[in-house]
Amino acid sequence: MRFDLLASPVDGVTEAYEVVAGFDGVLVAGLLRPGTEQIAALHALAAALSGTPLAGRVAEAVDKTVAGSISDEHLAALVAARSALLGASHDALLARLDEAAGRSREPWPAAGPGTPAGADNLLAAARSWLSELAIAGWRGIDHDLVSHADQAVQALLAEPRLRRLGALLDGFAGELRACAPGATMPRVPVRRWADLWARAVLLAQPGALAAVEPGTVSGRLLPLGVDLHEHPTAVQAQVHAVLETADGPRLVRASVSAPKVDTLVGSGVWQLLRGHSALLAAVTEQRAMDLTDMPITSGGDLIWSDAHAKPGAPAEPFATARVQLATASAAPVPPLERHPVRLAEPVLIEGYTATAHDDGVTITLPGLTVEVDVERMHGAGPLTPALVAASTACVGLLRWDGGWTIQPLAVEAQVKRKTVAVHAGAWAGGAADAAGAKAEAAAADAVKVLRERAGRLLRR
Amino acid sequence: MNAAQKPWEERSAARVVAPARPRKLAKVPFVELADGRLQGVVSSGSDIERVYVSSLTAANHSFHCSTNNNRPCGGIRTGGCNHLRALADEAVLQYGVARVARYLRADVADDATTGAAVLAAVNAWHEPSAGAPVFSRFLRHLAYLELSPTTEPLPELHWFPAGGAVR
């Protein structure tokens, strides 16, 4: 891997982010009465898109916003403009990463529009709340405005095909609720909330969540590690793995997610997921799984079903990474997912120096110094920043949030003069130690109490 | 050059709210800081079918307590009732005393550790309000565990990394 290629900036990304930052600043005070600086930022957005097929729509949307008469359609155009800039940044960053890793990536297949998810009234309700938010601005949110999302979110979560939008809006609304009223917030997460809002507007457009018929794939699946995502009412485990197919090794992901409540955290979350994917047990046992006709999307996501998988032979992730990672081909990223936050490319790094400091751990490689993304390291497994600081090899995800970072999935470290491998997802299939077992039992107890309460109070 | 972290305001995955801490739910199955209130539900000690809905308003420190069938709580005294005290204690376990005090604009001592300290600082006064919105938030909370898990990817959750390895 040529890490030195990641040390130099990628053309155009800084410029794209400057335009996006201007637009994101407009959302702080809201779109109702943009001031001089905000109007200039909106014009800069239109100018950045002027050579693209979106030019006319974006220019019109900017004019209408400045004139104070913004509609749903104009909001969609502004969001499309912002998303196009960040999508292009994503593509440029990913191309650089692929070059550095020597990784080949399939092109995105031309596909039909898919089957619309329907439920247009639910999407309209979501768009209406998102419009209210944009008009009020982050400084203008209050408890009433935030709670307007409740009904739409509940209905979206109940509709499996709209779960993506529901889970996003629920996490977003939860943050707004915790921070309201906006007028007295000490600091505003400007980029983050603009990101969440903009993605929600995109997904709430009719057709955005259209279902595309997946393909199928067979072969031996060798797990590399688990990336865990969580907000108060949702948890997702995403297993990164190499799939050995007849056409050579491929990088794939397998996800499992569940709705939850905020008091279920840490290692307690695995039990919500375990029953729906035997892969989590395979990760803990360090086994391969043999897949037969497993559904897979064009984006390289397995739609896991235990019916298409059988436990296989022992497989150690570092061995997989050392033997297969350099030659495995990667899947293209679906257009509506292209945003730098989605960059999570599995890599193996060795021969580095790790240095702990007050805010985390820095890794120095030949030609590149990179921060460990300690905020993406979770308490639901045995891997800690201290182990990363003592490590000699690491399987991790390269990420980008204004700069490259590495999120460790597993490390090899010297513990008592012996090299041991420690995996962030080691407890996915079951806790190995007493403290983990206790946390699991406490979470199981919490679920039991809530189910009992639900049984008495919910269905009345 | 890449070692420098962007400021929090410019990060997509910036952490905005610290995750809640786990706690035992038997007595107080639900507590939240929302809608400008500390609010939640306390199970009745004597009747398994009954719960109390309690809340404390951040803006003026008025409190409310009634059953889910809208009967007033019989234990209301100056400064609160047993249900409100249980709620404050559990809120402190779930969110930490600093966050609860900040949300309620309660001026607690630096060494305060308990819900009782928060309640003492606000001098809560009783003003009956509607318990129904809080009870419906609780029912909504319970409904999450009734929804089915899925193995379809949720790419938007990349914005929500699980944390907790560093605190």
Side-chain angles (χ1 to χ4, degrees):
Chain A
M1 173 129 191
R2 293 217 23 218
F3 289 102
D4 56 307
L5 290 177
L6 300 180
S8 54
V10 174
D11 281 351
V13 171
T14 306
E15 291 81 355
Y17 264 87
E18 271 168 23
V19 175
V20 168
F23 176 75
D24 294 353
V26 179
L27 291 175
V28 175
L31 292 172
L32 190 57
R33 288 185 202 85
T36 319
E37 193 186 328
Q38 286 77 24
I39 289 171
L42 288 167
H43 284 302
L45 181 69
L49 275 289
S50 61
T52 74
L54 284 171
R57 281 170 180 253
V58 177
E60 187 198 348
V62 166
D63 286 344
K64 294 289 182 189
T65 309
V66 171
S69 63
I70 191 161
S71 71
D72 258 18
E73 193 187 331
H74 301 132
L75 269 188
L78 295 178
V79 165
R82 184 187 187 275
S83 306
L85 289 171
L86 292 177
S89 299
H90 164 275
D91 292 357
L93 290 161
L94 185 59
R96 176 65 65 86
L97 209 161
D98 284 343
E99 189 190 350
R103 189 162 285 167
S104 65
R105 191 171 296 274
E106 305 289 320
W108 182 250
T115 318
D120 287 350
N121 57 330
L122 290 183
L123 296 178
R127 287 199 305 275
S128 142
W129 179 68
L130 291 162
S131 298
E132 283 183 69
L133 275 186
I135 285 165
W138 312 134
R139 285 293 179 197
I141 54 164
D142 59 22
H143 297 300
D144 270 354
L145 176 50
V146 176
S147 61
H148 287 175
D150 286 2
Q151 263 193 320
V153 168
Q154 224 172 347
L156 288 166
L157 286 173
E159 175 56 67
R161 298 175 70 177
L162 303 176
R163 182 68 68 82
R164 260 178 81 181
L165 179 57
L168 168 62
L169 284 182
D170 208 14
F172 182 29
E175 290 185 9
L176 296 173
R177 185 177 292 114
C179 295
T184 56
M185 281 179 71
R187 299 171 80 180
V188 178
V190 183
R191 169 70 29 76
R192 176 178 175 78
W193 282 0
D195 273 356
L196 300 178
W197 173 82
R199 175 58 63 87
V201 172
L202 273 191
L203 295 186
Q205 302 301 316
L209 290 172
V212 180
E213 193 63 31
T216 60
V217 78
S218 301
R220 192 162 72 128
L221 185 75
L222 305 160
L224 290 165
V226 190
D227 180 20
L228 191 65
H229 307 148
E230 183 181 357
H231 70 50
T233 53
V235 59
Q236 169 170 263
Q238 212 160 55
V239 178
H240 289 258
V242 174
L243 180 68
E244 290 177 329
T245 69
D247 306 324
R250 295 173 63 177
L251 280 170
V252 296
R253 288 174 305 272
S255 306
V256 54
S257 66
K260 69 174 192 75
V261 296
D262 55 353
T263 44
L264 290 173
V265 288
S267 48
V269 300
W270 296 116
Q271 60 193 289
L272 301 173
L273 305 172
R274 227 171 257 152
H276 305 275
S277 173
L279 182 55
L280 297 184
V283 164
T284 294
E285 293 165 15
Q286 300 199 4
R287 279 182 186 284
M289 291 201 90
D290 297 316
L291 310 189
T292 310
D293 299 330
M294 181 71 80
I296 186 169
T297 67
S298 305
D301 284 294
L302 302 173
I303 310 294
W304 191 267
S305 157
D306 282 345
H308 296 282
K310 279 205 273 286
E316 201 274 316
F318 276 94
T320 301
R322 287 188 176 110
V323 176
Q324 306 263 28
L325 208 44
T327 52
S329 69
V333 180
L336 284 186
E337 295 180 25
R338 293 183 193 172
H339 180 294
V341 81
R342 164 73 163 65
L343 294 169
E345 281 296 303
V347 291
L348 168 73
I349 58 172
E350 296 178 282
Y352 54 81
T353 322
T355 321
H357 56 82
D358 284 354
D359 298 322
V361 182
T362 305
I363 284 184
T364 309
L365 287 152
L368 178 73
T369 301
V370 65
E371 278 301 301
V372 172
D373 194 339
V374 287
E375 286 191 12
R376 283 189 185 267
M377 296 187 66
H378 55 77
L383 185 58
T384 60
L387 281 163
V388 177
S391 69
T392 52
C394 173
V395 172
L397 300 176
L398 265 181
R399 289 190 172 268
W400 198 89
D401 198 355
W404 295 106
T405 60
I406 185 146
Q407 172 191 355
L409 299 181
V411 300
E412 285 181 340
Q414 293 282 326
V415 177
K416 292 179 187 160
R417 292 193 208 161
K418 277 172 84 176
T419 301
V420 294
V422 182
H423 300 267
W427 299 345
D433 67 343
K438 204 174 150 198
E440 291 241 8
D445 196 44
V447 171
K448 206 172 97 191
V449 168
L450 293 174
R451 292 239 158 92
E452 185 274 336
R453 292 283 81 183
R456 287 195 193 276
L457 301 165
L458 204 52
R459 284 168 283 273
R460 291 292 164 106
Chain B
M1 60 148 288
N2 279 313
Q5 273 253 6
K6 285 276 179 189
W8 182 79
E9 282 81 359
E10 295 173 32
R11 280 178 17 225
S12 289
R15 183 165 290 284
V16 174
V17 183
R21 298 174 199 165
R23 59 181 182 85
K24 287 200 162 68
L25 302 181
K27 191 171 173 194
V28 181
F30 176 58
V31 58
E32 65 173 358
L33 298 169
D35 305 329
R37 293 186 291 262
L38 161 67
Q39 58 190 23
V41 163
V42 182
S43 294
S44 161
S46 55
D47 181 352
I48 200 163
E49 301 282 337
R50 190 193 307 152
V51 294
Y52 287 87
V53 179
S54 295
S55 62
L56 174 63
T57 309
N60 65 7
H61 295 156
S62 64
F63 77 94
H64 166 92
C65 190
S66 64
T67 69
N68 49 324
N69 296 321
N70 249 336
R71 294 177 195 279
C73 164
I76 286 172
R77 307 280 180 271
T78 310
C81 63
N82 285 339
H83 306 114
L84 187 65
R85 277 188 279 278
L87 195 66
D89 284 341
E90 296 298 311
V92 165
L93 287 180
Q94 185 164 325
Y95 298 113
V97 70
R99 185 159 153 205
V100 176
R102 194 166 60 241
Y103 195 87
L104 291 173
R105 293 168 222 169
D107 210 356
V108 297
D110 286 345
D111 59 355
T113 54
T114 62
V118 176
L119 286 184
V122 300
N123 205 6
W125 57 284
H126 182 239
E127 180 186 46
S129 64
V134 181
F135 190 63
S136 75
R137 292 274 308 163
F138 174 51
L139 295 184
R140 182 172 188 270
H141 186 77
L142 291 177
Y144 280 104
L145 293 174
E146 313 276 306
L147 294 167
S148 58
T150 171
T151 57
E152 303 238 2
L154 302 176
E156 284 65 38
L157 290 187
H158 282 277
W159 269 286
F160 299 92
V166 277
R167 285 197 192 264

